[in-house]
Amino acid sequence: MDTAPHLSPAARALAAARLVVFDCDGVLVDTERIGPEVVAAMATEAGWPLTPAEVLEKFLGTSEPYLLAQVRAHATAPVPDSWLVEYRSRVAAAFDAAPRTMPGVAELLDALDARSLPYCVASSGSHPRIRHSLTATGLWERFAGRVFSADDVRRGKPAPDLFLHAAAACGVPPGECLVIEDSPAGVRAARAAHMPVLGYTGGPTPAHWLADASAGTLADLHELTV
């Protein structure tokens, strides 16, 4: 018998989890609108004209080394190693002007704390970038000690390595985690890790990009607090 008929599919997936694994950009912090604008400008400066929408489609959820490799492959001007440093600096400056979390994040973390349900971050961003974003939005103390970056593994998303690393570090089997992701690469990574995954569409990601999310999609994190 269904013991929770009132719960949405997303809330049921959460109820079954022993660990919630959050992506950072676009799920916890509102940066996914900033990054594509910066990448588009810098790629265009290097001779590869891109729009923010094209950047979002090509690179959402992928690692910084992959981004740099693709810019170098298409640029007509030299792209030094410092390109990523400049990219991070521009994103940080834009984010610092108006740092904010995605809607419902604080309420969801409060609800998880009330249930004593552990959570962590597993992000394609570098450790400095993750810390900067979480600190600027007042979330760092809530995740300190449970922050995992593509820096920590050989292969970033869409490979499963990062999610498997996070689950192992937290001592929870992959099948008992719930990943919340806003990128196709992240959804593919979670599925490859055999982790249930919710596709979050409350940011710029179209829902059909996340159609493969095994636990469905949701547009409002508040849905998980009821």
Side-chain angles (χ1 to χ4, degrees), residues 80-115:
D81 290 342
S82 60
W83 192 92
L84 279 180
V85 176
E86 176 68 14
Y87 159 69
R88 293 168 187 158
S89 177
R90 292 195 195 185
V91 169
F95 182 66
D96 285 346
R100 60 184 182 182
T101 63
M102 299 302 290
V105 165
E107 294 87 344
L108 176 53
L109 296 181
D110 287 344
L112 297 181
D113 287 338
R115 301 182 200 182

Side-chain angles (χ1 to χ4, degrees), residues 134-173:
L134 295 182
T135 300
T137 53
L139 296 178
W140 176 253
E141 293 302 324
R142 307 191 75 156
F143 286 94
R146 291 166 288 129
V147 175
F148 307 98
S149 161
D151 292 347
D152 302 330
V153 294
R154 185 173 64 86
R155 301 179 303 168
K157 305 171 190 178
D161 303 33
L162 178 55
F163 286 140
L164 293 174
H165 170 61
C170 293
V172 178

